[in-house]
Amino acid sequence: MTSTDFSAAPPAHASRIRTFHPRRGRMSDRQRDALARLWPAYGLEIDDLDGPCDPAALFGRRAPLVLEIGSGMGDATAAMAAADPDRHYLAVEVHTPGIANLLDLVERHGLDNVRVAKGDALDLVRAMPEGCLDAVHVFFPDPWPKARHHKRRIIQPAHVALLRSRLVPGGTLHCATDWAEYAESMRETLTADPELVDVHGGFAPRPADRPVTKFERRALTAGREIFDLVHRRR
């Protein structure tokens, strides 16, 4: 694991289009303490990677691995990891309070199957070996609603091909959004990948094992529909 300076802004990569907004936010004393104590043991700074990323080395053992892209405050990741102890969960986030909150949850619930990475998830995936992931979760990514920003969406053909290449045969790519137009774009993009199979033949019933987050509750309260898509690698 590596140490990192969370006060510094992420470096700009002019050759690459970011799929996320770097955000800052206030941390509670508890979160700040968890970040300082637990990051060296559970954290990975993606920008510090200077070669391939070995998932087994992050956890100290081998097990099926779930990649959580955009874990937010970490509540859903912690709940899924607690209910699924036979798989590892690698959560990727850029929001420092969210990283700190997940680390606090990891300690409070005694989770030894969670690690947290800070930075661009696509850079991390590029550094990972093919066929190393049991599942990829992309829950409520930034919809980038303006047409000129659609190029920043994480679910687009080149990114999907990259994510799919890291899945084991039979591994799943599970996406969820509350933005109807993005949901349809996701569906078209995922269906167009010849190496992915649509598990439900369209939008999926809400999976019982995907915890309801505060963000999702706000969307439901505002009257927005939630769309799930589950595709499996051939």
Side-chain angles (χ1 to χ4, degrees), residues 2-4 6 35 37-45 99 116:
T2 60
S3 61
T4 189
F6 284 91
L35 183 65
R37 290 188 298 102
L38 302 175
W39 178 260
Y42 294 94
L44 171 68
E45 173 58 67
I99 292 170
V116 189

Side-chain angles (χ1 to χ4, degrees), residues 11-22 120-123 126 144 148-154 156 159:
H13 295 286
S15 62
R16 237 168 238 166
I17 296 172
R18 292 287 191 187
T19 61
F20 57 88
H21 279 300
D120 190 330
L122 294 175
D123 286 342
R126 291 183 187 101
W144 295 101
R148 69 177 184 272
H149 291 155
H150 285 185
K151 63 188 176 183
R152 296 186 178 275
R153 288 177 167 178
I154 191 166
Q156 53 180 286
H159 298 162

